[in-house]
Amino acid sequence: MAWRRLSTAHGLFDLAAGLWPLVHYRSFVAVTGPKADRWLVQTVAGFSIAVGYALLRSTPTEEGRRTARRLGVGSALAYGLVDLFYGSSGRIRRIYLADAAVEAGWVLAWLATRRRR
C-alpha cells in the first residue's frame, strides 16, 4: 500500500508544518523571516493542519485514495508554486526554495502512485 505510506508521511509533514508557527512562532519567524501579518501565518497553518489531518484519515477505498491524491497534489502544488515564485524573487527568504523542492517531491510521489495502479 504505497499510497497509505505516502498519505501518512505527507499528512504528518503538513501537520508538523502547520503546528510549528502556532506552537512556537518565534522560532518559525527566525527561520522563515519576519511576517507582516501574523493572522495570515495562522490561517495558512490552519489549512496545513486540515490537509495533514485529512491525509492521515484517508480511507483505503478507491474514492479515498483518489481524494488523498487530489489533496496531496493540489496542496503541494499550491505551496510549492508560491514558495518558488516568491522565494526566487526575494520577496520571502530563500529557505522557502527548500520547501518548494520538498513540495515537488510530494507531487512526484503522488503522481507515481497513480501510475502503479
Side-chain angles (χ1 to χ4, degrees), residues 11 16-17 19-21 24 28 36 38-39 56 60 69 71 75 93 98-99 101 103-105 113:
L19 286 171
W20 182 21
H24 203 271
F28 177 77
R38 188 173 182 155
W39 68 268
L56 288 170
R69 187 179 305 110
L71 190 55
S75 63
R93 285 195 179 167
D99 185 60
E103 300 298 344
T113 65

Side-chain angles (χ1 to χ4, degrees), residues 25 36-45:
Y25 188 77
D37 295 308
R38 188 173 182 155
W39 68 268
L40 184 57
V41 172
Q42 293 170 332
T43 301
V44 173

Side-chain angles (χ1 to χ4, degrees), residues 3-39:
W3 79 271
R4 169 48 60 205
R5 287 190 301 275
L6 177 57
S7 190
T8 298
H10 194 175
L12 289 171
F13 178 84
D14 280 357
L15 197 61
L19 286 171
W20 182 21
L22 299 179
V23 172
H24 203 271
Y25 188 77
R26 186 182 298 166
S27 68
F28 177 77
V29 171
V31 172
T32 64
K35 308 293 182 236
D37 295 308
R38 188 173 182 155
W39 68 268

